């Protein structure tokens, strides 16, 4: 007996930074309800975190990205589901959802994907030492320090009239 | 001394040969690499940024070397990323 082909979809949400946990769980629950009503399954619900946006969206420079992956068998319900999701996001979640995009994925997508690095990622700190270490400029700094120290040592050791410019 | 003008076919042929002499053959980095094609995604801003100019315009395929199919795919992904604020539309003014 042939199984119905599963179609995989992906929904990327851009939410405001003031989004609360309640609102996030509400969105998750609503999406799950809609998807399971069309006999589909939600595969992934990833909250990426806070990002700096490329241009201000609704007058704010920062936003939170949420990625939802879901799959459902190939049928007419797929288009209805996508429309229903869009209306949900635009009407019910209008307060905190700024942008959204639904993409159909070819084949079976892998659970891992490339994404830009978040501002509030785990290992990311906003101080000078980590910045130096990240960009590998500590060698430059150490050479600068060494030259300054060497210059000072030289100046203090050989402070006499022989350093004057010869005419 | 009057120059003998060649027929159109020969002139065009000579022009083509001259152009080929200084143009290196471009090859698409996505063609034949299924693992590279997987990375061609609107979420992958690191890869997509390498195909934008300083003013955040999409590079033409004669510069980036992409084939028509992958250039079309790439520009579609870039435009989707732009609409989702992952990539900028234009250069930012301070």
């Amino acid at each position: 007996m042939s199984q119905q082909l599963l179609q995989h979809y992906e929904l990327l949400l851009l939410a405001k930074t003031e989004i609360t946990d309640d609102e996030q769980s509400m969105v998750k629950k609503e999406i799950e309800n809609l998807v399971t009503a069309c006999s589909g399954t939600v595969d992934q619900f990833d909250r990426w975190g806070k990002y700096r946006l490329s241009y201000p969206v609704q007058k704010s420079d920062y936003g939170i990205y949420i990625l939802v992956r879901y799959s459902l068998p190939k049928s007419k319900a797929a288009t209805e589901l996508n429309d229903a999701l869009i209306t949900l996001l635009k009407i019910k979640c209008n307060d905190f959802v700024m942008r959204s995009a639904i993409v159909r994925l070819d084949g079976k997508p892998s659970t891992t994907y490339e994404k830009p690095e978040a501002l509030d990622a785990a290992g990311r700190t906003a101080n000078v030492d980590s910045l130096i270490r990240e960009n590998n400029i500590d060698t430059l700094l150490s050479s600068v320090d060494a030259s300054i120290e060497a210059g000072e040592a030289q100046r203090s050791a050989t402070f006499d009239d022989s350093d004057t410019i010869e005419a | 001394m009057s120059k003998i003008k060649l027929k159109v076919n020969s002139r065009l042929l000579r022009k083509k040969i001259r152009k080929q002499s200084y143009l290196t053959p471009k090859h698409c980095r996505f063609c034949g690499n299924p693992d590279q094609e997987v990375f061609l995604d609107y979420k992958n801003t690191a890869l997509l940024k390498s195909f934008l100019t300083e003013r955040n315009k999409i590079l033409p395929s004669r510069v980036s070397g992409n084939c028509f199919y992958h250039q079309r795919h790439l520009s579609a992904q870039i435009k989707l990323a732009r609409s989702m604020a992952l990539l900028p539309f234009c250069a930012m003014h301070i």
Side-chain angles (χ1 to χ4, degrees), chain A residues 10-14 48 52-57 65 67 69 99-101 103 105 110 113-116, chain B residues 38-39 41-47 49 69 73 77 80-90 92:
Chain A
E10 187 175 84
L11 163 69
L12 185 66
L13 294 174
L14 177 57
W48 285 4
R52 198 199 160 124
L53 304 175
S54 311
Y55 50 88
V57 177
Y65 282 104
L67 181 80
R69 277 193 173 165
R99 297 272 167 97
S100 65
V103 177
L105 302 167
S110 61
Y113 46 83
E114 294 281 328
K115 66 176 192 203
Chain B
V38 162
F39 291 135
D41 196 20
Y42 68 102
K43 301 186 286 291
N44 193 1
T45 52
L47 178 74
K49 261 204 170 137
Y69 174 78
H73 209 260
Q77 299 296 315
L80 183 59
R82 278 174 174 174
S83 74
M84 286 303 295
L86 289 162
L87 288 176
F89 278 98
C90 63
M92 300 292 282

Side-chain angles (χ1 to χ4, degrees), chain A residues 58-151:
Chain A
Q58 290 188 12
K59 300 196 177 61
S60 61
D61 288 322
Y62 298 93
I64 291 177
Y65 282 104
I66 297 170
L67 181 80
V68 187
R69 277 193 173 165
Y70 55 94
S71 55
L72 68 159
K74 189 174 176 180
S75 61
K76 217 168 188 180
T79 45
E80 291 169 6
L81 169 65
N82 290 335
D83 292 339
L85 273 172
I86 290 169
T87 47
L88 161 77
L89 292 168
K90 278 192 177 168
I91 294 168
K92 197 161 184 185
C93 312
N94 191 36
D95 294 328
F96 47 90
V97 167
M98 297 198 277
R99 297 272 167 97
S100 65
I102 297 178
V103 177
R104 197 183 82 191
L105 302 167
D106 295 327
K108 191 167 190 321
S110 61
T111 46
T112 57
Y113 46 83
E114 294 281 328
K115 66 176 192 203
E117 210 194 305
L119 278 181
D120 56 353
R124 194 168 169 152
T125 50
N127 59 15
V128 182
D129 291 334
S130 65
L131 182 76
I132 291 167
R133 250 181 281 119
E134 267 175 40
N135 297 329
N136 297 325
I137 54 176
D138 56 344
T139 50
L140 177 72
L141 278 182
S142 62
S143 69
V144 165
D145 286 337
S147 68
I148 287 171
E149 277 175 21

